[in-house]
Amino acid sequence: MQDGGQGQALFEEMNKQPLRCRVQVILPIERPYDYLLPYGSDGIQVELEPGQVVMVPVGRRILPGVVWDGVADENVPLKKLKEIAEVSEVPTLREELRKFVEWVANYTLSPQGSVLKMALSVPQALENLVGQKLYRLVTDNPKEEGDADTGKPRLTSARQKVIDVITDSGGWTLADLAREAGVSSSVVKGLEKLGLIESYFDAPDFSFSVPKPDAVGPVLSPDQKAASDDLVSRVQDQAFSTVVLDGVTGSGKTEVYFEAIEAAIKEGRQALVLLPEIALSSQWLDRFKKRFGVAPAEWHSDLTPALRRKTWRAVAAGKAPVVVGARSALMLPYRDLGLIIVDEEHEGSFKQEDGVYYHARDMAVVRAKGCSCPIVLASATPALETMVNVQNGRYERLILPGRHGGAGMPDVELIDLRFDKPERLQSGPGWLSQALRGAIRQTLEAGEQAMLFLNRRGYAPLTLCRTCGHRLQCPHCTAWLVEHRRFRRLQCHHCGFSASLPENCPSCEAEDSLVPCGPGVERIVEEAKLLFPEANVALMASDTMTSPAATKAMVDRIQNREVNLLVGTQVVAKGYHFPFLTLVGVVDADLGLFGGDLRAAERTFQLLHQVAGRAGRAEHKGRVLLQTSDPKHPVMQTLKEGDRDKFLEIEAETRARGHLPPFGRLAAVIVSGPDESELDNFCASLARSIPQIDGAQILGPAPAPLALLRGKFRRRFLIMSKRTIAPQGIARSWLAQLKAPSRIKVIVDIDPYSFL
Ligand code: ADP
Ligand code: ZN
């Protein structure tokens, strides 16, 4: 007897296996977990597509995750599976981003969940926000209780804070508004009673104004025009390519890529600009606003939580046409990315060394490929890696030959410190040679500005006891404590430890015996004030520029010529344009050349070239004086000759001989732990299991230069392989053999930039 038809269908329906899917959770886990699709109110499972953001139970927590590609394992028993708790309303993450997350995880040997976490970095942005109670300003007729004279209500400072915040834009939730203004929610409600703000029900507006693409930029020179036409047609073609925009500082690279951004906006696609120090580029933002009439969306660590959420949502919805940000902006969920610019592409700060170790410039090239869009790497001193990619045809190059407006490049002169020794000051040793002092005097007398550059924060890098030779060291790190005289404190620049300067030597207890050794910028400021009492001296370092506003205030003071003698660390090297700055003096040009870093020479060249580029950017000719004890060094010689390509040639030869990047590949393995002997035992077992591989070798273990950091002992291995062999595979199979004890941490750094 056959029972077909209806009975059979019902039977099948009842016995249908509940549907499952894979969800990648934002925990440091390698793969997606399996979950049951959620049940709707009708009792039927809701179908989800890959890329949808969901909240799922993990252990006792509910965490964000993303429905991942691929099918769930049907063999996992049902009772082991949990159900997806909630589906977020945020736009589905595109396949392009999911593939990018997988690629980055695979390349950097990081858990996929950790990489995804960088893309979902704003948990508040994932919340469902439909129909929330929001606040906005009431623009007409505030109720009385006001000032009889002005008719405006008198406000307490707490209330004023709320008004200041809300003025920006409406669409604030009560909690966000109170948090942003730093007041309690009763202050907000009080203002509502007063009738100055009102509430309404809506979804918050997550969007940025569209830049006005037809606002005209400057008339481009023929070279600039050729470069810009080339970039514009690449943007219109919507195809992947990597272009190096190579031109000295002041040649108009920014103006040229602004044209490409305009083209992307016209195509209806998004543009991303990665800058090394976004917080420091008020000048860049001002230029953008001038050119496009509106501000871009910014992405960096200083954003307020509310703005972070707004920006993340706007980017995902395609309502942030242009995003400018630090390296983490690369991980945002763009709706339709049509152009990536990496400005100052040679900058070391594009490498993240924390959590997921990745190089944002290199990963940006991968992302551009996934988005089928061009990527522009702009620099006056492209990295050797980048130039080798130009030579082997992987990248193309556009050259802007001269400075805009015909401003010449500055003359670079070397001061040999072995012969022109800085004289002692009454208060102690001096650091500025006669030649440099003379040049500063001339510059100030001519009514121009001078800058002294030293890439070292604080007053002195080392404090030592004259009696017993004891050096003041960080208790948690292999590092000297740096004196910061402004705060009368000693600081560790690695872990942040700080202590007040002791009166007596902590070792021999001698009185008045501790002396500062060597200069930091604060000490140069002291010398500058002493030698040039009439000058207006100012200091610009990362610890004095504590906020974007502070930086902007300082930049304005320099632009308005309220400062004529500027002392700074590398923060002054970054893209500023001061027309009256004609002299740059480098206090210690050799500083970056020491230490076992394979890129020491390249970095020094780039930094000094960039610092030199601050001099004479307008009609006044610039002059650069480098104080060095090694004037024959190729870095000093090529800087003097202004011959960047010769420097790159010499550098390429040195690297090729040593099979170093980009002619060979590196991966560093950093092993750390709180117990030194446990660490050394584990490293010894790692060393014993080093595999034999043709074309590759593993060196180590060696104590790291920072052998103690934040109280953890550190050892390093280095995997060196031929260009054709990926170090990832070697690291993976070697490290998989041994499980690290729970207190020991093993970090793999592919393509390392730091060797500390
Ligand atoms: P880079 O990015 O290569 O350092 P910029 O784009 O910042 O160069 O240009 C340097 C300066 O010259 C800026 O003040 C810029 O506005 C100006 N400039 C560049 N090109 C032009 C142009 N074609 N017309 C007018 N000003 C220009
Ligand atoms: Zn320390």
Side-chain angles (χ1 to χ4, degrees):
M1 238 194 341
Q2 286 224 327
D3 182 17
Q6 268 201 332
Q8 181 72 22
L10 188 62
F11 181 80
E12 277 172 13
E13 184 61 35
M14 282 167 57
N15 284 279
K16 207 167 86 178
Q17 282 292 322
L19 300 172
R20 325 161 172 226
C21 71
R22 304 167 84 213
V23 174
Q24 178 64 57
V25 184
I26 57 165
L27 286 176
I29 49 174
E30 302 289 342
R31 312 235 153 275
Y33 290 157
D34 292 345
Y35 282 90
L36 292 176
L37 288 170
Y39 287 86
S41 48
D42 54 3
I44 295 175
Q45 279 185 299
V46 180
E47 299 244 15
L48 297 178
E49 56 180 48
Q52 274 189 277
V53 177
V54 291
M55 303 297 292
V56 291
V58 182
R60 263 177 287 164
R61 288 191 290 168
I62 300 280
L63 289 172
V66 173
V67 178
W68 217 250
D69 307 79
V71 285
D73 183 356
E74 291 293 329
N75 295 321
V76 177
L78 263 184
K79 61 177 188 301
K80 287 199 156 182
L81 294 183
K82 291 182 180 161
E83 188 187 321
I84 288 173
E86 198 185 342
V87 180
S88 168
E89 68 186 13
V90 305
T92 302
L93 298 193
R94 297 179 52 205
E95 185 182 13
E96 170 270 311
L97 179 53
R98 302 191 310 267
K99 292 269 173 293
F100 182 61
V101 166
E102 286 178 357
W103 202 96
V104 173
N106 208 26
Y107 187 86
T108 60
L109 300 191
S110 306
Q112 199 161 287
S114 304
V115 180
L116 181 65
K117 189 174 180 190
M118 298 198 293
L120 300 186
S121 57
V122 194
Q124 297 158 327
L126 310 176
E127 291 163 12
N128 292 341
L129 299 161
V130 187
Q132 275 199 318
K133 188 171 174 185
L134 301 172
Y135 286 85
R136 68 183 162 214
L137 206 59
V138 174
T139 36
D140 40 48
N141 290 341
K143 284 179 202 158
E144 62 274 42
E145 201 208 284
D147 189 316
D149 294 336
T150 62
K152 280 193 184 146
R154 271 172 278 127
L155 291 178
T156 61
S157 71
R159 283 177 173 171
Q160 189 58 48
K161 278 187 204 150
V162 176
I163 297 291
D164 290 346
V165 166
I166 207 170
T167 305
D168 249 345
S169 56
W172 292 88
T173 64
L174 180 61
D176 279 344
L177 188 53
R179 185 166 43 199
E180 207 62 39
V183 302
S184 71
S185 50
S186 61
V187 176
V188 176
K189 289 190 176 142
L191 277 168
E192 187 182 6
K193 274 211 196 90
L194 259 184
L196 290 177
I197 64 175
E198 64 186 359
S199 61
Y200 59 104
F201 275 85
D202 200 355
D205 173 30
F206 296 125
S207 65
F208 287 83
S209 322
V210 179
K212 301 186 182 66
D214 289 320
V216 274
V219 180
L220 299 182
S221 71
D223 290 320
Q224 291 175 338
K225 181 85 172 67
S228 120
D229 286 350
D230 182 293
L231 294 183
V232 166
S233 71
R234 284 169 199 271
V235 171
Q236 288 166 344
D237 288 348
Q238 306 203 352
F240 167 67
S241 61
T242 309
V243 185
V244 178
L245 186 57
D246 177 1
V248 294
T249 43
S251 58
K253 297 185 293 295
T254 313
E255 299 294 347
V256 167
Y257 73 63
F258 275 177
E259 301 294 310
I261 292 175
E262 178 187 298
I265 296 166
K266 281 186 175 157
E267 292 292 304
R269 305 184 87 191
Q270 291 166 291
L272 163 65
V273 184
L274 293 176
L275 296 179
E277 308 269 343
I278 172 68
L280 298 167
S281 12
S282 58
Q283 278 192 332
W284 192 98
L285 291 171
D286 289 346
R287 278 178 74 176
F288 186 94
K289 270 181 246 170
K290 229 167 154 189
R291 172 69 174 75
F292 291 105
V294 301
E298 291 177 53
W299 189 258
H300 50 80
S301 52
D302 282 338
L303 291 187
T304 60
L307 198 50
R308 280 187 99 67
R309 183 177 67 182
K310 170 180 167 174
T311 307
W312 194 95
R313 289 288 282 258
V315 168
K319 290 179 178 169
V322 181
V323 178
V324 53
R327 59 184 182 232
S328 56
L330 179 65
M331 305 306 302
L332 289 172
Y334 298 92
R335 183 97 307 247
D336 185 16
L337 199 51
L339 172 68
I340 302 179
I341 313 276
V342 185
D343 202 352
E344 309 289 5
E345 65 89 31
H346 61 277
E347 272 289 331
S349 61
F350 284 123
K351 177 73 191 287
Q352 169 157 306
E353 275 151 2
D354 167 31
V356 177
Y357 283 50
Y358 71 102
H359 199 304
R361 174 198 62 209
D362 298 347
M363 297 305 117
V365 173
V366 176
R367 183 114 202 229
K369 189 165 184 199
C371 292
S372 291
C373 76
I375 172 166
V376 178
L377 309 180
S379 175
T381 50
L384 183 63
E385 276 83 355
T386 301
M387 291 304 258
V388 167
N389 276 326
V390 169
Q391 271 154 24
N392 64 27
R394 231 176 285 176
Y395 296 174
E396 289 164 80
R397 176 158 73 144
L398 295 171
I399 301 177
L400 296 178
R403 281 188 159 183
H404 171 74
M409 293 305 288
D411 288 326
V412 179
E413 300 156 48
L414 304 180
I415 298 174
D416 190 338
L417 285 175
R418 294 169 305 175
F419 299 107
D420 190 349
K421 284 203 180 74
E423 274 171 37
R424 276 189 75 81
L425 308 163
Q426 268 184 338
S427 55
W431 315 98
L432 307 178
S433 61
Q434 282 306 329
L436 184 50
R437 290 180 190 185
I440 297 170
R441 191 166 300 116
Q442 270 180 13
T443 307
L444 298 182
E445 277 166 9
E448 295 166 359
Q449 292 168 309
M451 177 174 101
L452 294 171
F453 172 79
L454 177 63
N455 203 15
R456 211 190 245 147
R457 286 185 289 138
Y459 185 83
L462 167 65
T463 304
L464 118 117
C465 172
R466 247 190 317 234
T467 311
C468 74
H470 178 74
R471 299 162 171 223
L472 298 183
Q473 191 177 344
C474 175
H476 312 295
C477 305
T478 321
W480 309 129
L481 290 172
V482 179
E483 182 187 348
H484 286 251
R485 197 157 278 194
R486 293 187 313 134
F487 310 116
R488 300 201 51 74
R489 285 191 89 72
L490 295 164
Q491 263 181 30
C492 171
H493 285 181
H494 296 285
C495 72
F497 170 85
S498 133
S500 57
L501 194 62
E503 304 257 318
N504 302 344
C505 170
S507 176
C508 73
E509 307 202 340
E511 279 175 41
D512 281 336
S513 182
L514 293 174
V515 285
C517 292
V521 273
E522 288 181 11
R523 204 168 190 179
I524 302 302
V525 167
E526 187 182 84
E527 181 169 356
K529 284 184 173 165
L530 213 73
L531 295 174
F532 306 100
E534 72 290 355
N536 291 318
V537 181
L539 171 63
M540 211 169 158
S542 60
D543 53 347
T544 64
M545 306 287 108
T546 45
S547 68
T551 307
K552 187 167 168 17
M554 176 57 85
V555 169
D556 287 347
R557 280 181 63 202
I558 301 167
Q559 264 170 348
N560 300 336
R561 299 166 78 188
E562 288 161 44
V563 169
N564 59 357
L565 185 47
L566 176 66
V567 179
T569 60
Q570 58 167 343
V571 297
V572 300
K574 302 258 154 62
Y576 294 116
H577 178 62
F578 302 126
F580 288 92
L581 182 72
T582 54
L583 175 71
V584 168
V586 176
V587 177
D588 184 354
D590 311 330
L591 189 61
L593 290 174
F594 305 111
D597 186 331
L598 75 101
R599 293 183 186 83
E602 185 186 10
R603 269 202 207 124
T604 304
F605 184 92
Q606 288 162 342
L607 183 59
L608 295 183
H609 180 95
Q610 200 169 21
V611 174
R614 298 306 112 212
R617 303 230 324 163
E619 55 270 32
H620 310 274
K621 178 126 181 108
R623 197 174 165 205
V624 179
L625 299 181
L626 305 180
Q627 297 196 133
T628 170
S629 298
D630 190 2
K632 291 259 148 32
H633 196 287
V635 168
M636 302 309 148
Q637 284 297 318
T638 50
L639 279 170
K640 182 178 172 211
E641 291 158 19
D643 197 344
R644 182 199 79 189
D645 291 337
K646 183 163 161 203
F647 170 75
L648 284 172
E649 226 172 84
I650 298 171
E651 184 64 14
E653 261 168 43
T654 317
R655 298 255 195 108
R657 227 179 301 127
H659 306 289
L660 293 169
F663 306 101
R665 307 185 61 180
L666 296 181
V669 177
I670 303 131
V671 192
S672 61
D675 183 302
E676 195 164 17
S677 62
E678 184 188 32
L679 178 67
D680 282 331
N681 283 337
F682 179 66
C683 286
S685 358
L686 274 179
R688 278 191 299 273
S689 59
I690 286 177
Q692 286 295 323
I693 305 143
D694 251 359
Q697 55 174 333
I698 302 177
L699 310 175
L706 274 169
L708 182 66
L709 178 64
R710 295 185 192 95
K712 298 274 183 356
F713 296 92
R714 303 167 77 242
R715 304 289 182 262
R716 297 183 70 107
F717 291 88
L718 189 64
I719 305 176
M720 299 180 74
S721 70
K722 280 187 176 166
R723 193 59 256 162
T724 47
I725 300 177
Q728 284 91 342
I730 299 171
R732 214 177 260 130
S733 57
W734 170 42
L735 297 174
Q737 297 173 43
L738 284 171
K739 190 168 159 33
S742 63
R743 292 191 302 172
I744 287 184
K745 195 170 163 191
V746 179
I747 287 168
V748 184
D749 182 3
I750 303 291
D751 308 330
Y753 276 68
S754 163
F755 296 85
L756 288 177

